[in-house]
Amino acid sequence: MTERPSGSEEPSGGFTLAEPRPTEPEDRGSFLHELPILFVIALALAIVLKTFVVQAFFIPSGSMEPTLEPGDRVLVQKVVYGPDRGDVIVFSDPQGRPGPDRGIVGGFVHWLSSTLGIERPEHEDFIKRVIGLPGETVELRDGRLYVDGVQIPEPYLKGTVDTRDYGPVKVPQGALFVLGDNRLNSNDSRFGLGFVPVDKVVGRAFAIGWPPSRIGWIH
């Protein structure tokens, strides 16, 4: 006969009692202890993604309408990127004007919120379409675009045509000529920005991630 521990009783039917499960408060306590670690991992991933892979940007104005509308959040590809004509790109201010001084804490909060595309950067980044590449000659005439004397179709333009002439101008080496899709209301290489150095390019905007009604690829 098999001996049982002193004082134990065998339940009816011969079944062995199961071990008690850990209490819920212990489970919650364990999760709370893990929260700081999860936060650090999430922050590290955000830094890696923003620095090397993809970043979200807030669209502050209507200069790229109808392709992009104010309030859109776009996703920008940053890995091994070389601009091509027709690409929608994000770039730092070619004039190098500094943004506001927010201090260490305020700067970090702004950086994190701009990484997620929640807050718009101030005096830091622009978004336009690449029109002229280094060494090319760009001209706008009677509402049409010419590059090196060849007319270039622009299917992304909608609405009223901007018939103002510009150029011809030659794009310097190491720079880009950029325009907004809303030609009648855009601060671009024609007015204010000038040519954009290639090393100021952050990346190519490839998709709209917010709002849900506008999620899709950027063409």
Side-chain angles (χ1 to χ4, degrees), residues 93-218:
D93 188 345
Q95 311 301 325
R97 290 166 289 200
D101 183 8
R102 299 184 177 88
I104 296 176
V105 176
F108 174 77
V109 172
H110 175 75
W111 172 86
L112 188 60
S113 62
S114 63
T115 296
L116 299 174
I118 298 171
E119 185 178 352
R120 58 174 288 188
E122 297 179 52
H123 312 300
E124 294 175 4
D125 302 299
F126 295 85
I127 185 164
K128 304 294 177 188
R129 191 179 294 274
V130 176
I131 298 299
L133 301 174
E136 294 181 334
T137 298
V138 176
E139 183 179 6
L140 297 168
R141 189 169 69 247
D142 297 327
R144 298 179 178 85
L145 169 66
Y146 296 86
V147 176
D148 290 340
V150 178
Q151 183 179 346
I152 305 297
E154 297 187 278
Y156 40 79
L157 297 183
K158 309 291 182 184
T160 306
V161 176
D162 183 359
T163 57
R164 291 175 294 179
D165 293 343
Y166 184 87
V169 294
K170 186 170 184 177
V171 184
Q173 292 299 321
L176 302 169
F177 185 91
V178 300
L179 295 175
D181 288 357
N182 184 0
R183 298 283 163 80
L184 290 169
N185 184 26
S186 175
N187 176 27
D188 46 40
S189 287
R190 299 169 299 170
F191 318 112
L193 287 182
F195 299 108
V196 177
V198 174
D199 60 10
K200 292 286 188 179
V201 176
V202 174
R204 177 180 65 90
F206 65 92
I208 300 172
W210 190 266
S213 60
R214 290 187 43 77
I215 289 176
W217 303 115
I218 295 174

